[in-house]
Amino acid sequence: MTVHKKNIDEIEAVAKISLNVGARSLTYGILYDVGRAKTVSSIQLNYDDLNCISSKVQNINRQVGNQLAISFVDPRYSLHRNLMPNKEPDIVFCPGGTSRLAIRSDGLVFPCQYGFCDDKFATGSITKESIYQIWKSRRWKIFRGIPLQKLSQCSQCHASVDCRLKICRLMAYAASGDIFGVPPGCEWLKWHYSFNNARKEVLTNARKS
């Protein structure tokens, strides 16, 4: 579910529907101001909206997390260690193209829905090939491992080691037109990263004194 200002109140209902149809997992994504969304300010999310969404998702996870795997990436806290614990910490890859894909209404297959904006990211068509054939195609190569050094701004960012946002290359493309560019949500994450580091420093100095 892509959450925006107009459907925040439907978050719980979507979880209930997912359970009723026997779904095993549910992902809540937030609407970023990329693509057509840039022109519709009335559905854009603000900081308070993100607090509301996060609270709702956490409540749902507490209630039905044992029946339904809930996924939600809050861009303000998209920090984690060991993004690539498999011996290659300087390689960036996304679930899109490695563990999931997206099929557009016309049958074209993309790593995720953020690729729908440009057909050059299509990796095949279910009208011409099987999912298996498409999945085995070499056309996925760029989504299955990009050296961090190629992301010139991300690789130099002080939050890069812990940042999860950088893995979404199609979102970066949708926002900036550059597949190696900076993804939306970056400004929220940087602010929290700097704030948390400053807070830790203050607490450390307070303990010493």
Side-chain angles (χ1 to χ4, degrees):
M1 174 186 183
T2 299
V3 186
H4 51 75
K5 189 179 285 290
K6 300 287 188 179
N7 68 1
I8 290 177
D9 292 335
E10 299 173 15
I11 289 176
E12 293 90 349
V14 170
K16 185 175 181 180
I17 292 171
S18 299
L19 284 171
N20 289 340
V21 300
R24 296 183 178 181
S25 64
L26 171 61
T27 298
Y28 292 101
I30 69 168
L31 183 77
Y32 289 98
D33 59 344
V34 298
R36 289 178 295 174
K38 283 183 177 180
T39 64
V40 191
S41 59
S42 62
I43 62 175
Q44 292 300 323
L45 299 166
N46 58 35
Y47 197 90
D48 290 335
D49 294 329
L50 289 174
N51 283 334
C52 179
I53 295 168
S54 180
S55 177
K56 285 176 177 288
V57 173
Q58 288 178 43
N59 286 335
I60 292 170
N61 194 45
R62 282 193 291 267
Q63 294 168 12
V64 301
N66 60 333
Q67 306 170 62
L68 185 67
I70 303 295
S71 174
F72 169 60
V73 177
D74 188 329
R76 301 169 301 169
Y77 308 103
S78 294
L79 302 171
H80 65 351
R81 295 281 181 182
N82 299 322
L83 174 64
M84 290 284 294
N86 61 343
K87 304 178 183 178
E88 296 184 275
D90 295 326
I91 301 296
V92 174
F93 68 83
C94 179
T98 55
S99 62
R100 66 177 64 171
L101 54 76
I103 303 174
R104 204 167 65 182
S105 58
D106 58 1
L108 287 180
V109 178
F110 297 82
C112 75
Q113 69 274 20
Y114 291 112
F116 288 177
C117 63
D118 196 325
D119 286 0
K120 73 181 179 184
F121 295 120
T123 55
S125 172
I126 58 172
T127 64
K128 300 177 181 178
E129 305 169 88
S130 69
I131 290 293
Y132 179 83
Q133 290 173 317
I134 294 171
W135 188 252
K136 291 295 184 179
S137 169
R138 290 182 59 82
R139 293 189 292 268
W140 297 92
K141 185 176 180 181
I142 193 171
F143 303 106
R144 292 177 172 170
I146 298 176
L148 179 59
Q149 290 75 15
K150 282 196 173 184
L151 312 182
S152 58
Q153 295 185 63
C154 291
S155 62
Q156 300 301 315
C157 177
H158 62 284
S160 180
V161 173
D162 302 313
C163 177
R164 185 174 180 179
L165 292 179
K166 71 176 182 290
I167 70 175
C168 187
R169 294 294 89 214
L170 284 179
M171 197 185 299
Y173 177 82
S176 66
D178 180 6
I179 198 169
F180 300 115
V182 176
C186 179
E187 63 280 359
W188 285 329
L189 184 144
K190 282 183 178 178
W191 185 88
H192 271 272
Y193 190 83
S194 298
F195 174 82
N196 288 335
N197 281 347
R199 182 173 178 271
K200 288 177 184 177
E201 185 175 346
V202 169
L203 290 175
T204 299
N205 291 336
R207 290 192 188 100
K208 289 179 179 179
S209 61

